[in-house]
């Protein structure tokens, strides 16, 4: 429905993602094989990635007011309606964890406008975490102002509110991606400090690692690497949504020199260095990389 309030559309989109989450989870066991070919980021694709992508396109395409669907698995955005709201989705984040039966997630970013979009155009963001239980963490509203809530996702795809999430004042955990020899020296020096203060928690799925930071306080990052100066994570459906959620939960995000939400959008699959967590830890990171 064209012209519908973007935040109301965002709520419908989040309901749609929760509604198919049990089906995504139930479809994982038989889809652990890699398919031929690569995704637009040049990475191998699991049958589960494609399965989740198709379910989510259908569910989000039926959500009132959603006009465009984009995902990690698609080269270009897909028109799914006449609304002005666009959704960018990582259908299965951390899908390499499927074979090892470790947590994974679905990430959704809801933008008021066309893609690629700036994080400042977000009207909502959320993720589903396929952990011991299936939960959703989501916020609806302007960046930096929305409340972040956690929901239990029932077997029927309903959302039961568990309460508001706010980053704990005292940080406890840290986790950084990439190989240590591939870290630039200034980032490695920052980690040397942090590892003396916090506990290492890195599980190979951004959403699960960010969930630990939201629950216990700390910092997660997939930094710029010597071999990959833009890091690994994609701005539209990984960096922007987690930056939105952590900033709304009282923390900060940074590419290394400023909020991820301020990065100019140049492409659907553009990569960006991602660091999110307690403000003091992110400020120290920016000082270390200055
Ligand atoms: P995806 O499965 O959607 O491609 O995301 C994987 C990402 C992210 O979830 C995680 O933080 C990172 O890849 C892990 O990378 P490494 O395997 O290099 O640690
Ligand atoms: Mn991902
Ligand atoms: Mn993915």
């Amino acid at each position: 429905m064209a012209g519908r309030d973007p935040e109301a559309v965002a709520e419908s989109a989040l309901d749609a993602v929760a509604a198919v989450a049990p089906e995504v989870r139930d479809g994982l066991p038989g889809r652990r094989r890699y398919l031929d070919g690569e995704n637009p980021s040049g990475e191998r694709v699991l049958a589960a990635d494609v399965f989740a992508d198709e379910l989510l396109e259908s569910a989000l395409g039926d959500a009132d007011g959603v006009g465009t669907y984009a995902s990690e698995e698609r080269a270009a955005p897909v028109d799914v309606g006449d609304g002005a709201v666009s959704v960018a989705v990582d259908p299965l984040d951390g899908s390499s964890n499927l074979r090892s039966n470790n947590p994974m997630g679905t990430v959704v970013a809801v933008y008021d406008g066309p893609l690629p979009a700036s994080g400042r155009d977000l009207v909502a963001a959320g993720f589903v975490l396929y952990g011991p239980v299936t939960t959703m963490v989501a916020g609806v509203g302007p960046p930096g102002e929305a409340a972040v809530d956690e929901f239990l996702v029932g077997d029927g795809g309903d959302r039961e509110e568990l309460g508001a999430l706010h980053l704990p004042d005292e940080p406890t955990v840290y986790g950084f991606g990439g190989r240590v020899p591939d870290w630039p020296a200034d980032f490695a020096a920052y980690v040397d400090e942090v590892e003396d203060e916090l506990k290492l928690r890195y599980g190979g799925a951004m959403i699960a690692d960010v969930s630990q930071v939201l629950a216990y306080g700390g910092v997660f990052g997939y930094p710029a690497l010597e071999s990959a100066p833009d890091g690994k994570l994609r701005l539209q459906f990984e960096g922007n949504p987690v930056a939105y959620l952590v900033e709304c939960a009282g923390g900060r995000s940074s590419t290394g020199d400023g909020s991820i939400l301020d990065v100019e959008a140049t492409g659907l699959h553009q990569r960006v260095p991602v660091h999110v967590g307690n403000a003091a830890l992110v400020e120290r990171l920016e000082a270390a990389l200055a």
Side-chain angles (χ1 to χ4, degrees):
M1 178 185 308
R4 194 170 163 225
D5 168 46
E7 291 188 13
V9 174
E11 285 291 359
S12 304
L14 292 167
D15 283 337
V17 172
V20 295
E23 204 175 339
V24 170
R25 187 175 190 125
D26 291 346
L28 295 178
R31 294 179 170 85
R32 306 204 305 181
R33 69 188 182 285
Y34 280 108
L35 302 177
D36 294 338
E38 295 175 339
N39 70 10
S41 294
E43 295 159 344
R44 296 195 67 189
V45 180
L46 284 171
D49 287 312
V50 171
F51 172 74
D53 182 39
E54 289 169 355
L55 270 181
L56 286 154
E57 180 200 2
S58 170
L60 286 162
D62 291 343
D64 267 353
V66 172
T68 303
Y69 173 87
S71 96
E72 176 186 314
E73 312 309 336
R74 312 280 181 114
V78 179
D79 285 342
V80 292
D82 59 3
V85 167
S86 302
V87 294
V89 173
D90 182 351
L92 215 47
D93 174 63
S95 54
S96 61
N97 277 352
L98 181 53
R99 204 175 82 194
S100 54
N101 195 29
N102 291 109
M104 289 167 288
T106 292
V107 195
V108 57
V110 186
Y111 298 92
D112 185 13
L115 298 177
S118 156
R120 297 294 168 198
D121 296 328
L122 283 165
V123 290
F127 62 78
V128 174
L129 182 54
Y130 307 104
V133 297
T134 305
T135 55
M136 174 179 267
V137 168
V140 178
E145 295 175 30
V148 177
D149 294 309
E150 184 183 26
F151 304 84
L152 192 63
V153 178
D155 293 344
D158 55 294
R159 286 198 270 165
E160 176 199 338
E161 179 144 4
L162 296 176
L165 280 183
H166 198 273
L167 220 55
D169 292 339
E170 279 309 305
T172 304
V173 299
Y174 77 97
F176 298 118
R179 288 185 169 79
V180 176
D182 207 3
W183 289 345
D186 51 7
F187 180 75
Y190 167 74
V191 178
D192 284 348
E193 283 179 24
V194 166
E195 67 185 1
D196 286 346
E197 302 163 22
L198 305 176
K199 291 194 292 189
L200 173 59
R201 290 287 183 276
Y202 184 81
M206 172 192 71
I207 282 305
D209 293 329
V210 168
S211 178
Q212 290 191 94
V213 169
L214 286 168
Y216 299 119
V219 58
F220 163 80
Y222 206 107
L225 303 175
E226 296 289 4
S227 64
D230 290 329
K232 174 179 184 182
L233 303 178
R234 282 57 52 115
L235 179 68
Q236 294 297 299
F237 42 78
E238 288 172 317
N240 274 341
V242 294
Y244 171 97
L245 290 167
V246 172
E247 291 187 11
C248 285
R252 277 208 52 206
S253 80
S254 183
T255 60
D257 64 8
S259 172
I260 291 167
L261 300 181
D262 292 323
V263 173
E264 184 194 354
T266 57
L268 195 57
H269 300 280
Q270 84 188 81
R271 298 179 193 267
V272 66
V274 171
H275 316 81
V276 292
N278 287 74
L281 286 166
V282 174
E283 280 147 24
R284 283 167 59 186
L285 167 83
E286 291 185 340
L289 303 192

